[in-house]
Amino acid sequence: MAQIKTNAMRILDAKKISYGMKIYETEDGKIDGVSVAQKVNRDPKEVYKTLVTQGTSKGIYVFVIPVEKELDLKKAAKAAKEKKIDMIAVKDIQKLTGYIRGGCSPVGMKKQYPTFIEKCAEGLELMVVSGGKIGMQIEIKPQDLIHVTNGTFAEVIKA
């Protein structure tokens, strides 16, 4: 059977970045980060969610943070050098990224937005992020994720 590849996976393949694929069952409707961490048998500290925001300048920014944590909008604005940052509306996610809520990968969005990965990921051997589809996760080295997203490590979560 042919392996289903998402756009994120095709990009990683093209850049010859190694990653693991974790597939989880979604029929129970539990697709929140902590449930996903349990389903892929990983510590929630290693599983990250992708959040899309917009700054005062109308710039779009992507933040990749641990699933159990909350984005600190003040720290996020500082990292993005914006006066203020707000989460974008769920209805706008697909239009901006090409992905739907719950399946938004930091890799392979419609445009390469400035991407910030929570600094605590720096110490991990592997981290888990969305594979670009609900039910699929990618396991990747934090440095490889920085490389492929042109991202930056930054402290952006609420203490």
Side-chain angles (χ1 to χ4, degrees):
M1 189 176 120
Q3 193 75 59
I4 299 167
K5 295 262 179 181
T6 62
N7 198 29
M9 292 169 193
R10 283 190 287 275
I11 288 168
L12 293 172
D13 289 342
K15 294 190 182 273
K16 298 195 177 0
I17 292 174
S18 73
Y19 62 93
M21 196 165 77
K22 299 257 183 212
I23 294 177
Y24 62 94
E25 174 279 307
T26 59
E27 284 173 16
D28 60 6
K30 292 183 180 165
I31 59 165
D32 63 280
V34 176
S35 296
V36 169
Q38 288 168 343
K39 289 179 183 187
V40 297
N41 213 5
R42 294 302 292 264
D43 184 322
K45 290 173 180 54
E46 298 167 358
V47 181
Y48 282 62
K49 57 188 171 187
T50 305
L51 303 173
V52 185
T53 63
Q54 188 167 34
T56 318
S57 72
K58 298 286 179 237
I60 302 296
Y61 303 93
V62 176
F63 293 91
V64 182
I65 68 168
V67 293
E68 299 178 301
K69 302 291 183 185
E70 220 179 308
L71 184 65
D72 183 316
L73 294 172
K74 281 193 170 69
K75 288 181 185 173
K78 190 178 169 196
K81 296 178 175 59
E82 283 279 0
K83 238 185 280 186
K84 188 172 175 261
I85 268 188
D86 288 304
M87 297 298 296
I88 63 163
V90 170
K91 67 176 176 53
D92 295 333
I93 292 174
Q94 191 167 11
K95 182 176 72 190
L96 291 166
T97 68
Y99 292 124
I100 61 167
R101 179 176 180 262
C104 191
S105 176
V107 180
M109 291 188 178
K110 281 183 176 176
K111 286 188 182 152
Q112 180 73 65
Y113 298 115
T115 302
F116 300 90
I117 298 166
E118 172 50 43
K119 199 164 176 47
C120 61
E122 230 175 341
L124 296 176
E125 194 176 318
L126 290 169
M127 64 190 293
V128 178
V129 296
S130 172
K133 193 174 175 210
I134 294 174
M136 284 186 165
Q137 296 280 302
I138 290 174
E139 196 174 49
I140 187 170
K141 289 181 181 144
Q143 278 66 24
D144 286 343
L145 188 62
I146 285 283
H147 174 72
V148 74
T149 59
N150 212 1
T152 311
F153 286 117
E155 285 182 40
V156 294
I157 54 176
K158 289 186 176 170

